[in-house]
Amino acid sequence: DAGVTQSPTHLIKTRGQQVTLRCSPKSGHDTVSWYQQALGQGPQFIFQYYEEEERQRGNFPDRFSGHQYPNYSSELNVNALLLGDSALYLCASSLVGQRYVKTQYFGPGTRLLVL
Amino acid sequence: AQSVAQPEDQVNVAEGNPLTVKCTYSVSGNPYLFWYVQYPNRGLQFLLKYITGDNLVKGSYGFEAEFNKSQTSFHLKKPSALVSDSALYFCAVRPGASGNTGKLIFGQGTTLQVKP
């Protein structure tokens, strides 16, 4: 049973560029959440996708956008990169559920360095 | 404001001794609480969660956590620490307010160092 996978593992970009990160959820999961983890910090929630729509968003600017495909995989796009966007980007998948609180399972992350 | 606090940046314990990693939270409504562990250059691994019911929750690798509503705490514990438990531990809360689709709020993390 494959877990959450993310690509690429590492990425180096320069200020002003754009980047796309990819995530495939755990088998059977339909919801994908993205988090940003700066060095020495806890993960910060960016947004969550379910049924190909953004369902909830954290306190991140519009430069951060996403997409979810019919197979539940997801992309995180960041435009006009800033030095402060350097971080580990984590994808987490889960099953949506009104009755039960579903656990989010995390991928290994993509480490983005902006120069 | 909703938040999670992990008051200790680092916890040091000798192998074989019991360990406790502290977590307190501040959220509206009934909280759903989680512990995750992160090894170097890796993502987060789920350890355990509290949703409702028994205040003592058992999880993976011999870890357990105690929910205390009056103290708004959810401390992680293990009776006998292993060197391999050395890692970064995160407490997280999912506010229980209706309409919340699953955003997790994380603490800053606590580094656990287990010495042989």
Side-chain angles (χ1 to χ4, degrees):
Chain A
D1 177 19
V4 180
T5 59
Q6 292 186 243
S7 63
T9 55
H10 295 81
L11 206 50
I12 300 175
K13 293 286 188 179
T14 56
R15 281 178 296 175
Q17 284 190 313
Q18 178 265 342
V19 68
T20 297
L21 311 182
R22 295 176 174 82
C23 171
S24 291
K26 186 177 169 67
S27 177
H29 285 184
D30 56 8
T31 302
V32 173
S33 303
W34 286 92
Y35 293 81
Q36 180 195 66
Q37 185 181 13
L39 201 60
Q41 304 291 318
Q44 299 287 319
F45 176 78
I46 303 174
F47 43 54
Q48 184 179 79
Y49 275 83
Y50 169 65
E51 291 185 332
E52 302 180 48
E53 289 189 12
E54 182 182 296
R55 296 293 175 168
Q56 192 176 14
R57 189 178 183 91
N59 188 26
F60 280 80
D62 292 345
R63 298 187 297 109
F64 289 77
S65 63
H67 188 80
Q68 185 179 36
Y69 294 93
N71 67 352
Y72 308 120
S73 67
S74 176
E75 289 180 354
L76 164 65
N77 301 292
V78 187
N79 294 323
L81 284 167
L82 303 173
L83 296 180
D85 295 331
S86 296
L88 180 67
Y89 288 85
L90 295 165
C91 169
S93 74
S94 59
L95 266 177
V96 73
Q98 299 302 320
R99 190 173 175 188
Y100 301 106
V101 177
K102 303 299 183 181
T103 300
Q104 293 186 22
Y105 292 90
F106 285 78
T110 293
R111 188 164 296 281
L112 172 66
L113 177 61
V114 182
L115 301 175
Chain B
Q2 300 175 114
S3 63
V4 175
Q6 294 182 240
E8 301 154 318
D9 289 336
Q10 183 157 326
V11 170
N12 298 306
V13 64
E15 187 174 31
N17 282 0
L19 69 87
T20 298
V21 183
K22 296 180 181 177
C23 171
T24 59
Y25 63 90
S26 174
V27 296
S28 56
N30 292 321
Y32 304 125
L33 295 153
F34 301 80
W35 276 100
Y36 287 85
V37 59
Q38 186 175 37
Y39 294 97
N41 301 313
R42 302 280 292 276
L44 304 180
Q45 294 181 28
F46 169 72
L47 282 178
L48 50 78
K49 68 182 177 185
Y50 172 83
I51 306 303
T52 186
D54 193 349
N55 289 343
L56 186 64
V57 178
K58 294 190 183 296
S60 306
Y61 313 117
F63 284 94
E64 58 189 27
E66 186 169 13
F67 171 65
N68 187 316
K69 188 173 183 178
S70 62
Q71 297 185 5
T72 61
S73 67
F74 188 54
H75 299 333
L76 181 70
K77 300 181 179 185
K78 188 173 182 181
S80 178
L82 299 172
V83 173
S84 57
D85 293 330
S86 298
L88 182 58
Y89 289 80
F90 288 99
C91 178
V93 64
R94 183 193 132 172
S98 62
N100 186 298
T101 55
K103 165 186 175 179
L104 290 177
I105 301 169
F106 284 86
Q108 293 288 85
T110 298
T111 298
L112 173 65
Q113 189 76 254
V114 181
K115 299 281 178 62

